[in-house]
Amino acid sequence: MTGSHPRPSLSRRSKILIGIGVGLLLLVLIAPRVVSLITDWLWYSSIGYTEVMSTTIVTRIVVFAVVAVFVAAVIFGAMYAAYRVRPDFVMLSSPNDPLARYRTTIGTRPKLMFALPAVLIGLMAGLIAQGSWATVQTFVNRESFGIKDPQFNMDIGFYAFSLPFFRMILDIVIIALVVAFIGNLVMHYVFGGIKLGGGGQRGSLTRAARVQLAVIAGLFMIAKAVGYWFDRYDLLYSDRRGDIFTGATYTDINFVLPSKLILMAIAIVCAIAFFAAIALRDLRIPALAAVLMLVSALIIGVIWPAAMEQFSVKPSAITKEDPYIQRNIQATTDAYRIRDGVDVTYEQNWTSTPAKPELVNADEPTLSNIRILDPDVVSRAFDQRQQLKNFYGFPKQLAVDRYPVKEKLPDSEQTVERQRDFVVAVRELDPSKYDANQQGWINKHTVYTHGNGFIAAQANKVDEASGADSRSDRGGQPVFLVSDLDTIGKPGYAQQPIQVKQPRIYFGELLANVNPDYAIVGSADGQKHEYDGDGLTYTYTADSGVPLSNLGTRLLYALKYGERNFVLSDQINEASKLLYNRDPRDRVKKAAPWLKVDSKTYPAVIDGQIKWIVDGYTTLQNYPYAQRMSLAEATADSRATTVGQTGRQLPDEDVSYVRNSVKATVDAYTGEVDLYQFDTQDPVLKTWMKVFPGTVKPRADLDKNTDLLAHMRYPEDLFKLQRQLLSKYHVADSGTFYRANNFWTVPADPTTSDDNRLQQPPYYFTASRPFGYDAQYQLTAVMTALNRPNLAAYMTAASDPDGYGKITVKVLPTINQTMGPQQAAENMTSNGRVASDRKLVEETTKVTYGNLLALPVGGNGILYVQPMYTEAKSGNSAIPKLYRVLTYYNAAAGGDNVSVGYAPTVAEALAQVGISPVAATAPEKDGGAATEPAPTANPTPQAPSNNGKDSPARDAAVKELGQALENVRKAQSSGDFKAYGEALDNLDKAIKKYESTGG
């Protein structure tokens, strides 16, 4: 007998209270999610990307439902099956048998009692599985790579899209079977199908219990066998030799791979043994099978490969790993697009012969574009000179872009258009700088809604040389080109190289630092509430934003932000709109959740409109044999980690495949998001374009927008990732790769302190293209020998539409040592003239060194240039000013003819190291903007030519300048510091005399 016990019951009042409590709990848990879903839908509708949200939600719901139903059904079936075959009579183990109450409770409503835990576990499994919606969608819409792995001859698309999906299904099946086995086992125990021995009684197991448990265990072993089959493919991104390379090693292929097949066979045998228990009453067979599986997994799967690795492979690793290292090199260069001869061009033994002076002096694209404004340093000058109001601001790290500039030729009314670099920023709204009396809700969200203006400063010039006039505060300051409400339409604006039609900034990166970042705009009665300038108000006119025209929408956002003013404020009317998610990177990320976005974004003027340009990446975590890299570690440098405000890093994820597949733009006024296909060959992007059709515009649409193409640049984070890889993967020979005797190192930033010596960031600038003398916008970096300071290679990526993405690596000869950036910086700052002057300057001002640029000049010459800034030591109004320009010139690798320049202008600093200042000398008073064309035929090495102009005064000045240059060289060679100083003074006079003649 099972015994009888009274059923527990609750009073009506208790039931009502429990119901109210459950209702409130559900409201607290579900209501915020519902509000978030509805408001997200409204936001996606406002930017025209509802398909992204609908596809994501539908996929999540389907995955959740399928997994939840499957897991719940399996668990319910296992538990109910045990109940259906329970013994008709169960002897009580004692008068107080604790299981009797459970049997009674379950027996009253068995289906409900089994359904509750099954549904609960099914819901949990569904919630976990729905997070893998992307795995399901990419499997359904998968594209082929057209490349097969070298081991199993499977298309890479199988590893990218199919294998993760199969793994997900297998994991769900295993979880369901494990829980089902436990549930079935417990039910059999509760209802007497299983009795434990003890107290003089033997344990027992009914036939029904034995059959059911054997079937579930057998299915589990089949699932394990399938798992061992899939484990074979996982070996291709093994991390066994992660310190050397990623991918299957000799041990993995020759020992682990066979062990997986053996274990798979054993798992199948074990499954058969479990199924055999259905007919055989002897449980020793499945018990022995289980022990065999555990022992085999330990010995065959772990101990044997480890022993062979230690005693057979490691002693001869350099030969045994040879083919597998070669596979890694091939896969890595494919996955990251750094293939020799396809994506990367190497120039071996660069600088092995001395640079020809006439070619160096004629290198006008490089010498005329030397950037003396460091975007990180001069951001403070932007703040002090262009902030205007306390609630405006600029990022601490500005951007560098290029624009065509018309410049007059010397002694002529003719102009020539040249590409010049600009440090650019927009005057954004910066809510973090609001004063106490500006913190009210109305001010923060309805009055101060937008910034005003596009600000640019030509990167190779300042207003005038520092100290030119002691009575003026000019000197060393950027020359600003301003496009805002005060300057547009004013006289002279039409001649400005950068012209903006709509200068108001409603979307910007500074807004990411506040939460919430929303603005309420629009007016129904014609009243303008938005601050637009002193005495000026404005109303947003673009057709974007979420309408707040009805009480329901306002109530939703009141709940979302916890702000009652959405319902109560009379500042909101039927024409009001809500702008939020205003950081460009966040908008792109939400519009394309499958993308990773570059940590840097930059504003550009496209057809008169200010657009934020954002680079988007498609990535894969597992690409067979490709080197696995940490995005956060590979892209971290001194600039990425020390810059506040908007400095970001890529997520801390490991990847083995990266493509800059998408270029995105965000309109600074309307917030419109446009995604453009950039890489037409990327199968990952093609897959996502099938998942979300119409969200990414085809490459043809991008090609039509030539103005946008002209401002696209090679993404910085991808370049840093490739730079890190090329420090090793420039080596094609597996033996050399294993020995690591020809690897490089990304150098530390010489401008940072010794306590915070992080990697030197790459730099954007315009210079001569690697194999030519026409100007090209480039992203560049240098690399040093492995754990050594001497220069080993120079890397550059083309960023202009013509030749975009082509990477050139100039490799220096190893028989000579050339000064690296740290050595050059130390030699420049420790130079006698520099050190003595710096010591005097540092007594009264703060000295900051700008970015150290390494510039190839004249084909084989290496010119280092570093700006030196001074500013007040204290006070919030300190403005960094260009004080001096340092140059360090080496005409050839290992050459002894190395000299240091230190002068107020680029032209003078170049002249001091023996390079003609013509290309870097401007007819205006500035810090070195090039406006005079370089000599093209038979240039004079000692001094600039007169470009065919017949002027006796200039001829005399040229002759005198040439003689002064020669005297400087002789004084440098002699080591006579007194003569050297006199020669520099004479050179300065000669330059000024030359400039006075129109040179």
Side-chain angles (χ1 to χ4, degrees):
M1 295 181 59
T2 60
S4 61
H5 296 273
R7 291 176 55 190
S9 62
L10 295 173
S11 66
R12 184 171 180 272
R13 180 182 179 185
S14 298
K15 291 179 180 179
I16 292 174
L17 291 175
I18 291 174
I20 293 174
V22 171
L24 290 174
L25 179 62
L26 290 175
L27 184 64
V28 170
L29 294 176
I30 297 175
R33 186 58 181 163
V34 173
V35 170
S36 178
L37 283 173
I38 297 174
T39 54
D40 280 351
W41 179 263
L42 293 173
W43 184 84
Y44 276 103
S45 299
S46 71
I47 66 169
Y49 283 80
T50 53
E51 186 176 357
V52 173
M53 185 174 179
S54 62
T55 301
T56 303
I57 290 177
V58 170
T59 307
R60 287 178 181 270
I61 291 174
V62 170
V63 173
F64 168 80
V66 171
V67 172
V69 169
F70 171 78
V71 173
V74 170
I75 296 172
F76 176 83
M79 297 175 70
Y80 190 68
Y83 175 77
R84 287 293 302 271
V85 296
R86 70 192 184 280
D88 295 329
F89 179 80
V90 180
M91 289 290 295
L92 295 177
S93 60
S94 66
N96 298 317
D97 187 352
L99 298 179
R101 177 174 295 183
Y102 294 109
R103 284 194 289 268
T104 302
T105 303
I106 295 172
T108 56
R109 293 181 179 178
K111 292 184 179 180
L112 177 63
M113 299 305 293
F114 297 145
L116 285 176
V119 169
L120 181 61
I121 296 172
L123 290 176
M124 293 174 61
L127 286 172
I128 295 172
Q130 60 86 30
S132 300
W133 67 271
T135 301
V136 176
Q137 279 288 3
T138 53
F139 171 75
V140 173
N141 297 279
R142 62 191 180 278
E143 284 278 324
S144 171
F145 275 65
I147 304 173
K148 295 186 177 182
D149 78 87
Q151 182 63 39
F152 300 108
N153 203 33
M154 302 288 287
D155 187 88
I156 302 300
F158 169 78
Y159 299 92
F161 309 126
S162 301
L163 187 58
F165 178 78
F166 296 149
R167 278 289 193 187
M168 184 188 79
I169 299 299
L170 183 62
D171 290 343
I172 293 169
V173 170
I174 290 177
I175 290 173
L177 289 173
V178 169
V179 178
F181 183 87
I182 296 172
N184 186 271
L185 181 69
V186 170
M187 287 303 101
H188 279 300
Y189 174 68
V190 170
F191 287 97
I194 298 175
K195 290 184 178 180
L196 302 178
Q201 296 182 353
R202 294 181 60 187
S204 63
L205 178 70
T206 64
R207 181 179 183 278
R210 185 180 73 251
V211 170
Q212 290 181 4
L213 291 172
V215 169
I216 298 174
L219 292 175
F220 174 80
M221 294 311 302
I222 290 176
K224 282 297 293 180
V226 175
Y228 283 126
W229 179 262
F230 289 150
D231 286 347
R232 298 158 56 249
Y233 301 113
D234 292 340
L235 293 176
L236 299 196
Y237 21 88
S238 164
D239 202 33
R240 183 180 297 275
R241 292 197 178 276
D243 56 329
I244 302 176
F245 68 96
T246 301
T249 64
Y250 182 91
T251 300
D252 292 318
I253 297 301
N254 291 278
F255 303 115
V256 179
L257 179 57
S259 74
K260 297 295 183 184
L261 295 174
I262 294 171
L263 290 172
M264 182 183 70
I266 294 174
I268 294 174
V269 171
C270 290
I272 295 172
F274 281 116
F275 290 137
I278 296 174
L280 301 175
R281 298 188 61 181
D282 191 350
L283 295 180
R284 289 177 296 179
I285 294 176
L288 288 173
V291 173
L292 174 64
M293 187 75 256
L294 293 174
V295 173
S296 299
L298 178 62
I299 296 177
I300 300 176
V302 179
I303 297 177
W304 180 48
M308 299 308 294
E309 163 79 7
Q310 191 68 32
F311 300 108
S312 176
V313 179
K314 281 190 175 181
S316 306
I318 193 169
T319 55
K320 290 188 174 182
E321 300 292 11
D322 180 87
Y324 306 104
I325 293 176
Q326 208 63 51
R327 289 179 178 183
N328 171 259
I329 293 173
Q330 178 65 43
T332 301
T333 54
D334 284 341
Y336 295 96
R337 285 209 167 156
I338 51 174
R339 295 164 294 182
D340 184 5
V342 179
D343 308 301
V344 181
T345 301
Y346 290 93
E347 181 184 351
Q348 302 293 339
N349 294 318
W350 179 53
T351 73
S352 57
T353 57
K356 296 181 179 179
E358 60 270 21
L359 295 180
V360 174
N361 294 337
D363 194 352
E364 187 270 343
T366 299
L367 299 178
S368 69
N369 279 298
I370 293 176
R371 180 158 60 82
I372 55 177
L373 296 185
D374 184 332
D376 294 352
V377 177
V378 300
S379 62
R380 299 193 294 278
F382 274 62
D383 277 335
Q384 295 300 327
R385 291 298 178 97
Q386 294 298 329
Q387 184 180 5
L388 300 185
K389 297 292 182 179
N390 69 290
F391 43 80
Y392 292 143
F394 300 95
K396 292 189 182 300
Q397 185 182 120
L398 306 182
V400 178
D401 200 2
R402 70 284 198 194
Y403 290 86
V405 175
K406 291 182 179 180
E407 297 174 341
K408 284 186 178 181
L409 295 174
D411 297 336
S412 172
E413 293 301 317
Q414 294 181 345
T415 60
V416 60
E417 189 173 83
R418 292 191 174 110
Q419 177 173 290
R420 296 301 186 201
D421 296 338
F422 283 82
V423 176
V424 297
V426 292
R427 188 187 290 128
E428 298 185 55
L429 192 69
D430 188 356
S432 65
K433 295 181 179 178
Y434 288 158
D435 194 54
N437 60 358
Q438 297 168 333
Q439 294 286 347
W441 183 84
I442 290 177
N443 279 338
K444 289 171 65 177
H445 300 293
T446 68
V447 176
Y448 301 125
T449 59
H450 60 276
N452 171 29
F454 183 89
I455 317 297
Q458 193 166 319
N460 66 335
K461 66 189 297 184
V462 292
D463 53 359
E464 62 185 38
S466 178
D469 186 349
S470 61
R471 297 167 299 177
S472 171
D473 67 345
R474 290 169 56 85
Q477 291 283 336
V479 179
F480 293 107
L481 295 178
V482 180
S483 295
D484 59 13
L485 292 172
D486 291 331
T487 58
I488 292 177
K490 294 291 179 68
Y493 184 75
Q495 285 71 48
Q496 185 169 301
I498 307 174
Q499 298 182 27
V500 174
K501 298 175 183 177
Q502 175 54 271
R504 296 178 179 89
I505 312 297
Y506 281 85
F507 298 85
E509 52 184 340
L510 290 183
L511 295 168
N513 299 310
V514 292
N515 186 26
D517 70 346
Y518 63 85
I520 299 173
V521 297
S523 174
D525 56 5
Q527 295 295 320
K528 301 178 180 180
H529 305 288
E530 302 174 47
Y531 176 86
D532 208 37
D534 290 344
L536 300 175
T537 55
Y538 180 74
T539 293
Y540 188 67
T541 60
D543 186 21
S544 58
V546 177
L548 297 175
S549 55
N550 62 76
L551 182 61
T553 304
R554 294 165 64 178
L555 182 60
L556 284 170
Y557 282 100
L559 293 172
K560 177 181 177 68
Y561 292 116
E563 179 52 67
R564 63 179 181 272
N565 283 316
F566 275 96
V567 178
L568 302 178
S569 176
D570 59 2
Q571 295 292 308
I572 303 177
N573 51 67
E574 61 270 19
S576 295
K577 294 181 179 180
L578 181 67
L579 308 178
Y580 66 105
N581 291 333
R582 292 194 286 167
D583 176 74
R585 291 162 295 192
D586 291 340
R587 291 180 77 80
V588 172
K589 183 64 179 174
K590 285 184 71 69
W594 41 274
L595 277 180
K596 290 181 176 62
V597 297
D598 197 271
S599 59
K600 306 293 190 303
T601 182
Y602 60 101
V605 178
I606 312 295
D607 296 326
Q609 305 299 320
I610 301 174
K611 304 273 190 179
W612 293 97
I613 299 178
V614 182
D615 286 289
Y617 303 118
T618 52
T619 63
L620 292 176
Q621 186 174 10
N622 295 317
Y623 186 104
Y625 277 104
Q627 187 67 24
R628 189 175 289 116
M629 300 288 290
S630 168
L631 287 177
E633 290 181 8
T635 57
D637 57 32
S638 61
R639 192 165 55 193
T641 57
T642 58
V643 173
Q645 276 187 306
T646 62
R648 291 188 180 184
Q649 282 186 270
L650 288 176
D652 189 13
E653 297 179 11
D654 289 344
V655 298
S656 56
Y657 173 96
V658 179
R659 289 285 187 274
N660 177 214
S661 299
V662 173
K663 296 287 188 179
T665 63
V666 177
D667 192 288
Y669 182 75
T670 67
E672 179 184 7
V673 178
D674 289 314
L675 306 174
Y676 294 96
Q677 179 188 26
F678 189 70
D679 189 335
T680 58
Q681 304 301 316
D682 179 23
V684 181
L685 175 60
K686 290 179 180 178
T687 297
W688 283 112
M689 289 176 72
K690 289 169 65 178
V691 175
F692 301 113
T695 57
V696 179
K697 298 180 180 180
R699 177 62 192 254
D701 288 5
L702 178 60
D703 291 335
K704 294 175 185 176
N705 196 336
T706 56
D707 201 8
L708 175 58
L709 281 174
H711 288 281
M712 294 204 167
R713 65 188 195 184
Y714 200 79
E716 191 169 330
D717 284 338
L718 176 60
F719 185 80
K720 287 189 282 189
L721 193 68
Q722 292 173 322
R723 173 181 66 173
Q724 194 75 37
L725 286 162
L726 282 172
S727 67
K728 294 172 57 177
Y729 286 90
H730 66 278
V731 176
D733 176 68
S734 56
T736 306
F737 189 96
Y738 187 88
R739 289 189 295 270
N741 61 309
N742 196 25
F743 285 174
W744 302 330
T745 300
V746 178
D749 188 348
T751 65
T752 58
S753 64
D754 292 335
D755 296 332
N756 190 28
R757 191 57 60 81
L758 299 171
Q759 289 185 347
Q760 185 181 32
Y763 297 114
Y764 291 100
F765 53 70
T766 297
S768 294
R769 66 176 63 250
F771 301 104
Y773 283 95
D774 51 327
Q776 183 186 69
Y777 190 64
Q778 307 170 33
L779 178 59
T780 69
V782 298
M783 282 179 275
T784 56
L786 184 63
N787 298 326
R788 294 291 302 150
N790 53 290
L791 193 65
Y794 178 89
M795 177 181 173
T796 180
S799 287
D800 282 337
D802 182 20
Y804 178 96
K806 292 182 178 179
I807 298 175
T808 302
V809 178
K810 297 174 177 287
V811 184
L812 281 81
T814 57
I815 58 174
N816 296 313
Q817 288 197 3
T818 302
M819 293 291 184
Q822 184 63 42
Q823 294 170 313
E826 291 175 354
N827 285 344
M828 285 190 292
T829 55
S830 63
N831 179 271
R833 292 181 301 118
V834 179
S836 59
D837 186 52
R838 180 166 58 93
K839 185 176 180 180
L840 292 174
V841 173
E842 287 178 344
E843 291 179 358
T844 56
T845 62
K846 175 185 175 182
V847 173
T848 303
Y849 291 97
N851 37 218
L852 176 63
L853 303 179
L855 305 171
V857 288
N860 281 347
I862 303 174
L863 173 67
Y864 287 101
V865 180
Q866 185 172 36
M868 176 180 171
Y869 303 91
T870 58
E871 60 184 294
K873 285 188 174 182
S874 61
N876 295 327
S877 59
I879 303 176
K881 299 181 179 181
L882 179 70
Y883 177 69
R884 291 291 184 267
V885 177
L886 294 93
T887 54
Y888 186 85
Y889 178 54
N890 190 358
D896 297 326
N897 185 22
V898 180
S899 49
V900 174
Y902 179 71
T905 66
V906 172
E908 292 175 90
L910 289 177
Q912 290 176 11
V913 296
I915 298 176
S916 168
V918 171
T921 304
E924 302 172 319
K925 297 175 75 175
D926 58 43
T931 57
E932 185 171 350
T936 56
N938 300 322
T940 305
Q942 291 80 15
S945 69
N946 62 7
N947 295 303
K949 304 288 184 181
D950 294 328
S951 170
R954 179 178 295 177
D955 290 342
V958 168
K959 185 176 181 181
E960 185 175 338
L961 183 56
Q963 184 60 48
L965 282 168
E966 185 62 28
N967 292 339
V968 168
R969 292 194 185 96
K970 291 180 179 178
Q972 285 176 327
S973 302
S974 66
D976 187 337
F977 289 104
K978 181 179 179 180
Y980 183 59
E982 293 175 353
L984 287 175
D985 291 338
N986 292 333
L987 177 61
D988 184 54
K989 295 176 182 177
I991 291 173
K992 291 178 180 178
K993 183 175 181 180
Y994 173 75
E995 290 175 348
S996 68
T997 65

